[in-house]
Amino acid sequence: MLLTTSYGLNNSHTKTIHVGLQRTNKGIFKPLVKLTGHNADGIYFDTECWQLFQEQLGLMNEYLTSDNRVKPNFVIIKNYTINFTTSYGAKSILLACKEEEENSKENLPKEEDALDSTPPAKKRRTYTAAIVMQKTTFLGLQSIVKCIDARLKQLESLSDNVNKCALYLIQEIELKLPVSFINQEIIKLTLRGNYEDIERNVRTQINDLTFLDMYFNIIFLELTSLRYNEIIHIILTKRESFD
């Protein structure tokens, strides 16, 4: 994720909320909220699902903080399920997300996939991510909802320029590459050898002066470090499609 802000939800930070710009399967960066556990892959909310999730906070709060032992019926929000349960003898919320995706390297789930330019498979797989929240963790989440909302609003206003930076960066790297054979190492050396020139050319194509002054430097650094393998994958895939 780019421009990420993280909030610990309990003292041990075994549950954490991350808010940032995540690259989707369509190749664009969008604001997302990611809820992670100590041993969990995490659950992602786009802005719409995050708002729908917030609408259930009152019900969750009532279950966790009241003396009533009756469990409400589970709640379904698109592919998310909110279950009212117990964990280690204490009331808990079990948040589960079921995803069905193509088992394709286009999704870039792992670093090694980003480096592999072989044609993606089309097999689909279903997986479920789950997070358990007890009272302390839930109250920690509830206390920062306004912070998350404000951060999402800010990221939404930045996403257009961030996507432009990502697009222009790839285009500028491609312009520096040889017409003949390329591989991961050639792309790496091209970026390293022309870094300042590429950065300057990308900067000149962005017209938002406030964005340039406050965010461009960190976005360019994060794109060329955190998203480096994705950039290589995109360039190699595009080159193969023309061969």
Side-chain angles (χ1 to χ4, degrees):
M1 299 175 81
L2 303 179
L3 296 178
T4 305
T5 301
S6 299
Y7 304 92
L9 303 183
N10 51 25
N11 292 334
S12 60
H13 282 224
T14 54
K15 300 293 190 303
T16 309
I17 281 277
H18 309 276
V19 190
L21 292 169
Q22 177 73 19
R23 184 175 180 269
T24 68
N25 291 337
K26 295 181 180 180
I28 60 175
F29 289 95
K30 287 188 174 182
L32 287 180
V33 177
K34 182 181 181 182
L35 174 61
T36 61
H38 186 60
N39 294 310
D41 292 333
I43 293 176
Y44 289 90
F45 299 91
D46 60 20
T47 52
E48 179 185 2
C49 287
W50 172 247
Q51 293 302 318
L52 294 173
F53 176 72
Q54 282 190 60
E55 294 176 4
Q56 304 301 324
L57 292 180
L59 180 61
M60 289 184 271
N61 181 72
E62 181 179 356
Y63 171 68
L64 292 173
T65 60
S66 71
D67 294 329
N68 189 350
R69 306 300 296 182
V70 178
K71 297 179 182 179
N73 293 327
F74 64 87
V75 176
I76 296 178
I77 304 172
K78 293 190 175 181
N79 56 323
Y80 303 90
T81 304
I82 302 172
N83 294 282
F84 301 87
T85 183
T86 57
S87 176
Y88 299 102
K91 290 182 178 180
S92 303
I93 301 296
L94 173 62
L95 178 62
C97 175
K98 182 175 290 187
E99 293 283 356
E100 185 178 86
E101 65 175 17
E102 286 187 355
N103 187 14
S104 164
K105 294 181 176 63
E106 292 176 355
N107 294 316
L108 300 176
K110 296 180 180 179
E111 180 175 308
E112 57 266 28
D113 290 338
L115 301 178
D116 188 350
S117 59
T118 56
K122 295 300 182 181
K123 185 183 295 183
R124 285 187 174 274
R125 66 187 180 95
T126 300
Y127 68 92
T128 301
I131 300 289
V132 176
M133 292 188 293
Q134 293 184 341
K135 179 180 176 180
T136 299
T137 299
F138 174 79
L139 293 178
L141 170 62
Q142 196 172 42
S143 69
I144 60 168
V145 164
K146 290 184 178 179
C147 298
I148 296 171
D149 288 344
R151 187 65 176 144
L152 285 173
K153 184 177 181 180
Q154 181 190 39
L155 291 170
E156 185 66 42
S157 69
L158 297 173
S159 60
D160 185 51
N161 281 316
V162 170
N163 282 305
K164 287 179 181 178
C165 284
L167 174 63
Y168 298 153
L169 171 60
I170 292 172
Q171 290 176 346
E172 289 298 325
I173 294 174
E174 289 176 324
L175 288 173
K176 303 291 185 182
L177 291 171
V179 178
S180 56
F181 174 78
I182 63 169
N183 57 20
Q184 175 193 349
E185 188 63 23
I186 291 174
I187 297 173
K188 178 180 178 181
L189 293 174
T190 299
L191 176 59
R192 182 184 300 173
N194 298 275
Y195 189 90
E196 292 183 358
D197 189 30
I198 291 172
E199 180 183 12
R200 182 172 57 254
N201 291 343
V202 172
R203 179 187 290 272
T204 58
Q205 297 179 75
I206 303 296
N207 298 320
D208 189 325
L209 297 181
T210 301
F211 178 84
L212 288 172
D213 183 51
M214 298 183 63
Y215 299 102
F216 178 81
N217 288 340
I218 184 62
I219 283 296
F220 193 84
L221 286 170
E222 289 190 352
L223 283 171
T224 53
S225 54
L226 300 179
R227 318 312 295 186
Y228 173 72
N229 289 328
E230 287 183 9
I231 290 172
I232 290 178
H233 174 80
I234 291 169
I235 292 174
L236 289 174
T237 301
K238 288 175 66 176
R239 180 62 69 91
E240 284 185 352
S241 67
F242 290 112
D243 290 343

